[in-house]
């Protein structure tokens, strides 16, 4: 089964309810990769980035199962990990993400270009800096939000850098996402954003990096990453900035979905990327970008109507949590309902002989286990998938944020509540 990989298999929603997924084998095949990740995966930080080797494992699984894989998709494509790995394997890719910063990074990583071309353009931009105006086209609202994070000098230098990029790299050039990405990647270092913080926090003692130096260092790192990647082999990935719940389905069904869904109330992606979203003009107020984000705690819900649409696992979790914290229960209910619709969309996008691989962990909120994996397995079976296989994997990449605070959010501050050291790999077959 699956090239020697071990799984627990469920074929009906009742089986999920009866057995949960606790009996899924802890299968070392999904634990870690055999070699370091390509540098392109590290050109811009992205919370909850997916380990790149999981794409390779999913492709190996597909091959062992005799699937004919030509097109891969990631419905939560984030910073384009699966997009890049699919192209590296010579496969077509379709992906979407609701976060414009994510799709900008994903498009950059999907660009085929030489390090030399990136260096040359980077030097032209850096040389133009002293001549550039410090005027910016940002709205008053965006400026009001941004100013607290930057010294006057850093703000003026960033405005010059923005103007230099706009003057030297046309909006339709394939290099535009590359330089938007370079600009975005240096923003936190050039600001008073608390370094390595997973929540927006100001560090008044921080000495921000110099904008020109940071930009040139970033350009060099990206040039080296592009050289290491070499010219791309597969077709150019299609990356949509869109909500998976409403996006137009890929024109040709895909053969393999590889994805990791957001978790409820863990990261507010829109808040974490606010410096980039505001500077790059994706929003005047980054809070607008929370709309449609699955797992955001900001969604209002008509609970009385909604709970009837929850599947059985979802209803059990939500009712248990409701007794502890009704607001949290509503957020979890909203998340579960969205994930039920995601399961249906994945079924719609997939070819009849395809498979969908989800990497998903359970969480805990106010001492109630939020069984995301069992909920998704049940949702997949209800959406029309015939069988779901489950394995557990050990998480090795969450050492930067190993704890959860009292509200269940990730934190680096030592608490009594370590985050789960395991997560599930669910593979759904139509
Ligand atoms: C766990 S992350 C995926 C990370 C990705 N695998 C990577 O390597 O970067 C989940 C992603 O779901 C996205 N997301 C949340 N709600 C969404 C929605 N309604 N439609 C599409 N993407 C959404 C978030 O912006 C985030 O990038």
């Amino acid at each position: 089964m699956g090239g020697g990989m071990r799984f627990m298999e469920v074929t009906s929603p009742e089986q999920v309810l009866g057995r949960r997924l606790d009996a899924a084998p802890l299968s070392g095949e999904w634990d870690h990769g055999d070699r370091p990740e390509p540098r392109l995966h590290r050109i811009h930080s992205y919370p909850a980035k997916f380990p790149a080797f999981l794409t390779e494992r999913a492709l190996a699984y597909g091959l062992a199962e005799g699937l004919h894989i030509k097109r891969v998709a990631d419905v939560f494509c984030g910073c384009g990990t699966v997009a890049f790995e699919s192209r590296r394997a010579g496969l077509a890719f379709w992906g979407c993400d609701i976060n414009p910063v994510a799709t900008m990074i994903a498009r950059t990583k999907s660009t085929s270009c030489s390090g030399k071309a990136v260096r040359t353009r980077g030097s032209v931009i850096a040389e133009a800096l002293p001549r550039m105006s410090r005027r910016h086209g940002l709205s008053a609202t965006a400026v009001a939000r941004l100013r607290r994070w930057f010294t006057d000098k850093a703000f003026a230098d960033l405005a010059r850098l923005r103007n230099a990029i706009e003057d030297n790299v046309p909006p339709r050039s394939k290099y535009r996402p590359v330089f938007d990405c370079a600009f975005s990647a240096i923003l936190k270092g050039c600001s008073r954003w608390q370094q390595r913080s997973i929540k927006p926090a100001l560090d008044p003692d921080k000495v921000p990096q110099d904008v020109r130096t940071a930009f040139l260092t970033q350009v060099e790192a990206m040039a080296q990453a592009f050289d290491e990647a070499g010219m791309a082999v597969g077709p150019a990935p299609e990356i949509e900035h869109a909500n998976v719940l409403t996006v137009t389905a890929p024109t040709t069904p895909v053969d393999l979905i590889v994805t990791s869904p957001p978790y409820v109330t863990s990261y507010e992606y829109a808040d974490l990327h606010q410096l980039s979203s505001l500077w790059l003009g994706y929003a005047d107020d980054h809070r607008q970008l929370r709309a449609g984000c699955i797992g955001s705690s900001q969604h209002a819900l008509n609970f009385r109507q909604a709970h009837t649409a929850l599947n059985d696992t979802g209803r059990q979790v939500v009712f248990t949590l409701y007794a502890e914290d009704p607001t949290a229960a509503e957020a979890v209910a909203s998340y579960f309902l969205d994930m039920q619709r995601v399961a249906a969309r994945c079924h719609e996008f997939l070819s009849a002989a395809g498979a969908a691989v989800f990497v998903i962990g359970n969480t805990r909120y106010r001492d109630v286990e939020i069984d995301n994996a069992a909920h998704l397995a049940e949702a997949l079976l209800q959406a029309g998938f015939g069988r779901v296989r489950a394995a557990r994997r050990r998480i090795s990449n969450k050492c930067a944020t190993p704890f959860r605070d009292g509200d269940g959010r990730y934190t680096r501050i030592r608490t009594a509540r370590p985050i789960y050291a395991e997560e599930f790999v669910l593979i759904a077959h139509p």
Side-chain angles (χ1 to χ4, degrees), residues 45-85:
S45 62
Y46 197 75
K49 183 194 154 294
F50 179 91
F53 77 88
L54 289 174
T55 314
E56 263 177 57
R57 291 289 187 282
L59 288 170
Y61 169 86
L63 201 68
E65 287 294 304
L67 305 186
H68 187 56
I69 301 169
K70 278 190 170 159
R71 288 171 63 79
V72 179
D74 182 350
V75 296
F76 298 111
C77 78
C79 67
T81 311
V82 182
F84 176 76
E85 292 297 315

Side-chain angles (χ1 to χ4, degrees), residues 25-39:
L26 192 56
S27 164
E29 292 96 344
W30 300 92
D31 282 0
H32 41 74
D34 308 325
R35 44 181 184 268
E37 291 197 348
R39 290 180 196 207

